[in-house]
């Protein structure tokens, strides 16, 4: 049996990679990929604690998180397509005219 601490370290590493990607990249696709990494880190924690406690609650919440991630990607791809059509680039710093 793998100790829970290993799952926590893996989840923290994946989450930190996602935060680093959000803070350092200007490409909208990299933003989406970084958010996906952060959501997957949360899924690792949910499944690990579910396994430790011996119930399925964490795994059910993990399925809801995956559905949320799929919806986020669908909306994000739509926004990226609008960015590319209007600005011929997916750099989020160039799209200042789309702000309110």
């Amino acid at each position: 049996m793998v100790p829970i601490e290993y799952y926590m370290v893996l989840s923290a590493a994946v989450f930190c990679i996602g935060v680093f990607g959000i803070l350092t990249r200007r490409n909208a696709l990299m933003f989406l990929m970084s958010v996906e990494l952060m959501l997957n880190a949360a899924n690792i924690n949910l499944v690990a604690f579910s396994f430790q406690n011996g119930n399925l609650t964490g795994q059910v919440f993990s399925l809801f998180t995956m559905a949320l991630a799929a919806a986020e990607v669908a909306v994000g791809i739509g926004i990226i397509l609008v960015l590319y059509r209007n600005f011929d680039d997916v750099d989020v710093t160039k799209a200042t005219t789309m702000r309110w």
Side-chain angles (χ1 to χ4, degrees):
M1 184 170 147
V2 179
I4 193 76
E5 291 85 14
Y6 291 164
Y7 292 113
M8 296 292 293
V9 168
L10 174 67
S11 175
V14 171
F15 190 83
C16 288
I17 291 169
V19 169
F20 179 75
I22 285 179
L23 293 177
T24 58
R25 304 290 181 186
R26 292 187 291 177
N27 190 341
L29 288 173
M30 289 296 171
F31 275 8
L32 283 178
M33 289 172 48
S34 297
V35 170
E36 289 293 325
L37 282 175
M38 293 168 65
L39 287 172
N40 284 333
N43 283 341
I44 291 170
N45 275 335
L46 288 170
V47 171
F49 285 123
S50 173
F51 180 70
Q52 182 187 17
N53 293 332
N55 58 12
L56 296 176
T57 307
Q59 293 178 12
V60 171
F61 280 124
S62 178
L63 288 175
F64 285 126
T65 307
M66 286 182 204
L68 175 76
E72 175 256 333
V73 166
V75 171
I77 292 294
I79 292 171
I80 289 172
L81 287 174
V82 168
L83 273 174
Y84 187 74
R85 281 185 191 163
N86 291 339
F87 299 103
D88 294 327
D89 196 11
V90 289
D91 188 4
V92 293
T93 59
K94 293 182 182 178
T96 56
T97 59
M98 288 185 70
R99 295 183 187 159
W100 288 76

